[in-house]
Every structure is written in structure tokens, then in C-alpha cells.
Amino acid sequence: MVFEGTALSLIQLGAVFFGLGLLGRLAARIGMSPIPLYLIGGLVFGNGGFIALSNVDEFIHLASEIGVVLLLLLLGLEYSAPELVTGMRRSWQAGLLDIALNATPGVVVALGLGWGLTGAIAMAGVTYISSSGIVAKVLNDLGRLGNRETPVILSILVFEDLVMAGYLPVLTAVLAGAGFLAGLKTLSIALIAVTVVLVVALRYGKYVSAIVASEDREIFLLKLLGAALLVAGFASAVQVSAAVGAFLLGIAISDSTAHNATKILEPLRDLFAAMFFVLFGLTTDPASIPPVLGWACLLAGVTTATKLATGWWAARQAGASRYGRARAGTALVAHGEFSIVIAGLAVAAGAVPSEFAAMATTYVLIMAVIGPIAARVVEPILGMVARRPSRPQPAAEPHGE
């Protein structure tokens, strides 16, 4: 029997979805984020993998774009404008330390590998941004949402997300080959948009929510998804980044409407986001990973230490105990969806070497695995160190008679 055309497309797409389902189930069984397994799935199906997909490339590409929009939309829905303002006031010092410690290693490695200024700017974002999704899941799974250090962790994540609202437009301009003035113009537009959205959300958020709200789930979903894609499309047209547009829309929707929107959109986000991770894996040749594996491991080791330092310092400023400081540091280690979003933009623009995709994939795979493990084992390790008996001091020698 020969399969071709629509039949072959449906079979390939069905195999991808079913395979992702199995990988997601495996991730849930072993208590880790499914993101690394989705990336590995993309490597298996992509260039140089075991199975080549020939009929569903266009669908996966469009689905991955929708996945990015939904990821940032739901991220915006998690925050209200007052929470963002409060978070910025509370965490700006830790946020600046976070940028300095965690963006710098990416810049240094990119320049050391000869990837130029564009590669350095993109790699800085990859190593800087923690995974809000993985961090939130780990905190919930470990029952730490009520801990003293948790507001510190969440404040740093809020700061990172707001930095992304300014960083992504700049990255988009750089990748497009725009000059300094064009990049400055794009950043100005993004900052003005963020300011306007915060003002609108603070004063008129209920009206924005009323526009998209509906008692009927079907109508609610259609209006939400339509609004998100429209805003993302217009944002992309003015070079502000579709992801930033979706994030700002999420911030503008508030109260019960935001809560209901999150519940109705989560399954769609998970579906399309999985396609995004698969697409990034598809664009990465597995044969290109071994040459950058050592650099990725080095970068993972350095940024694990710098994230630990960031969380430790921020939690200490908040008066947390030694255990709380360590928990805060390890919670920030995980990288995931947003690092891949940044790397995906760079790879799609063709402005970085082919090794960049391999480096980003390997780095995120390592960090997405290390982060949850470190968060789980940090307390037992500190407990073992605390219980270890101190070495007895030698007796003082008697003085001469």
C-alpha cells in the first residue's frame, strides 16, 4: 500500500502527536518537564534523524508560531498590572544582578566561538531567562508556594519577563539587520507599548476583559484566540515581536476573565507549544551536537552557579534562612521555553551559524533536567552537611614546666 498526499500528511502528523503524547507521559512518570523530551523528539524526526517528515513542515511551522503566541499570552494572563509594578519595585536590584551574572556567560561563549555581535545578543537571552513554567511546576510539586523565599523567586521571574518585553524587539531588529537607530526606534515602540498597556490595565482593565469575555466557552475561545493572533500579527508588522504583543494582551486581561482564559487556553497552549519544541528540534542536526557538547556543559555549569548566586543573594536580602536561600537559587536554574523561543527567532532569521541551534538545544536539554533535580536535592544535601560531625580539634600541648 502506497501512502501519499493528504493520507501521508495525516499519518505523519498523527505519528508526531502520538509520539509527543508518549513522551509527555514518560516525563510525567519520572517527574520532569516534557520540554527536553519534545526537543529530542524533534531531533529524531528532523534533519539527520532517524525519520524524515516531508509532508507536514508547513503545518508544524505555523503551529509553532501559534505556540509561541499562546505561551506568551498565558504568561501575561498570570500577572496583573499591579503585580508587575509591585514586582518591579521589589526585585529591581536582584533583577539587575540576574542580568549581569547570567547574560554575560552567553555573551562570552558566543564571542569566543566567533558568532559575532548578533550571536552574542541572542545567546545572552538564552542563558539569562529562566523557565517560568518549569519553576512554577517545581514549586507546586514540592509544596513550596507558601515558603518565605517564594515571593522573591516570583519577583525575579516577573522582572525577567518584563525584560523580555524590551529584549525581544531589540533582538528582532538585530536579526533583521537593522541599524542602531532602527533598533533604538523598535525598543522605544516596545517600551511605549508596555507603558500604555500597564496604564490601560491599571485603569481600564475591566473594559478590556469585558470585550473578550463571554459566558459561552466556544465564543470565549474564538474571541481570545482571534484577539491574540490579531495583536501578535500587528506587533510583528511593526517589528515589536509577536510574542511581546501576546504578552501585553495577557496583561491587559484581568480578574476572573484572566482566570477563565487560562483554563480554556492551557490545553491549546500545551498542544501548539509542543509543536514549537518539535520544530526547533527538527531544525537541529543531531550530528552538530557533539562538537558543541563541551561548550554547552561548561555554559550549563557556569550559569547553574550564577543562578544559584542570584537566588541566594535575593533571598538573603528578604531575610530568608540558609535553606531558603539555597531553595531560591536552585529554583531559578531551569531553562526551557523562552530560551528556545529566543534561539528559534535567531535560527529562523538565518543570522547565526548552524552551530547555534545545536548549542541552544543541548544547553536547554541540560538545564531543563538539572533545574528540577537541583531543586529537589538541595535540602537533603544541606541537611547532610549540617549533620556531619565537625572535625575534633587537637588538644592543646602543655606548656613547658
Side-chain angles (χ1 to χ4, degrees):
M1 184 181 298
V2 178
F3 297 104
E4 57 184 21
T6 302
L8 182 58
S9 299
L10 292 174
I11 290 172
Q12 289 186 350
L13 196 57
V16 170
F17 282 138
F18 190 78
L20 290 177
L22 293 178
L23 291 174
R25 183 177 182 182
L26 174 61
R29 284 284 182 90
I30 59 180
M32 65 176 287
S33 166
I35 292 173
L37 297 185
Y38 291 160
L39 289 171
I40 292 172
L43 292 173
V44 170
F45 287 110
N47 296 327
F50 296 109
I51 305 170
L53 299 178
S54 56
N55 286 48
V56 293
D57 290 351
E58 291 186 12
F59 174 83
I60 292 178
H61 181 77
L62 181 59
S64 69
E65 294 289 335
I66 297 173
V68 174
V69 169
L70 291 178
L71 275 171
L72 272 293
L73 174 63
L74 266 82
L75 178 64
L77 289 170
E78 291 178 8
Y79 303 124
S80 66
E83 287 173 339
L84 286 174
V85 174
T86 302
M88 286 290 287
R89 289 174 179 169
R90 181 188 300 164
S91 64
W92 68 270
Q93 290 178 310
L96 293 179
L97 179 67
D98 190 18
I99 294 174
L101 289 182
N102 296 291
T104 302
V107 172
V108 171
V109 167
L111 293 177
L113 292 174
W115 292 348
L117 181 61
T118 301
I121 293 173
M123 203 67 205
V126 171
T127 58
Y128 163 62
I129 185 77
S130 298
S131 170
S132 300
I134 297 177
V135 172
K137 186 176 187 305
V138 168
L139 292 176
N140 182 65
D141 290 348
L142 298 179
R144 296 179 182 171
L145 292 176
N147 285 13
R148 183 170 186 173
E149 75 277 359
T150 298
V152 174
I153 298 169
L154 298 179
S155 294
I156 293 174
L157 294 177
V158 170
F159 189 94
E160 289 185 353
D161 295 334
L162 279 178
V163 168
M164 285 295 105
Y167 168 83
L168 288 175
V170 172
L171 178 64
T172 303
V174 170
L175 294 174
F180 176 77
L181 290 178
L184 191 62
K185 176 184 175 183
T186 302
L187 176 60
S188 300
I189 293 173
L191 292 177
I192 292 171
V194 171
T195 304
V196 170
V197 168
L198 287 176
V199 171
V200 169
L202 283 167
R203 296 188 177 183
Y204 310 107
K206 60 181 180 181
Y207 299 110
V208 177
S209 300
I211 293 173
V212 297
S214 175
E215 295 293 330
D216 187 290
R217 287 173 58 87
E218 179 182 349
I219 296 173
F220 190 24
L221 175 59
L222 290 172
K223 290 203 298 185
L224 268 175
L225 190 56
L229 295 178
L230 282 170
V231 170
F234 281 118
S236 183
V238 297
Q239 304 258 317
V240 174
S241 166
V244 171
F247 177 65
L248 295 179
L249 175 63
I251 293 172
I253 299 172
S254 58
D255 300 329
S256 61
T257 305
H259 178 69
N260 294 334
T262 299
K263 287 198 300 183
I264 201 171
L265 285 175
E266 274 184 341
L268 275 181
R269 177 202 60 186
D270 295 341
L271 172 64
F272 286 105
M275 300 304 291
F276 170 72
F277 297 125
V278 167
L279 177 68
F280 192 78
L282 288 173
T283 60
T284 305
D285 186 351
S288 64
I289 290 179
V292 300
L293 182 59
W295 283 105
C297 291
L298 174 64
L299 199 55
V302 171
T303 52
T304 295
T306 52
K307 281 292 183 182
L308 280 167
T310 300
W312 183 282
W313 184 87
R316 186 178 65 181
Q317 296 300 106
S321 66
R322 187 165 63 104
Y323 282 88
R325 298 172 201 171
R327 289 193 297 263
T330 54
L332 295 171
V333 168
H335 288 53
E337 62 272 26
F338 300 114
S339 296
I340 295 298
V341 167
I342 294 165
L345 290 173
V347 171
V352 291
S354 57
E355 295 87 356
F356 185 93
M359 172 70 87
T361 299
T362 309
Y363 173 76
V364 171
L365 283 172
I366 295 171
M367 297 299 282
V369 172
I370 288 178
I373 292 175
R376 290 174 186 274
V377 302
V378 64
E379 284 188 288
I381 289 176
L382 283 179
M384 289 170 59
V385 171
R387 288 193 299 269
R388 190 174 62 185
S390 58
R391 191 177 294 176
Q393 298 295 322
E397 298 209 359
H399 294 286
E401 298 177 8

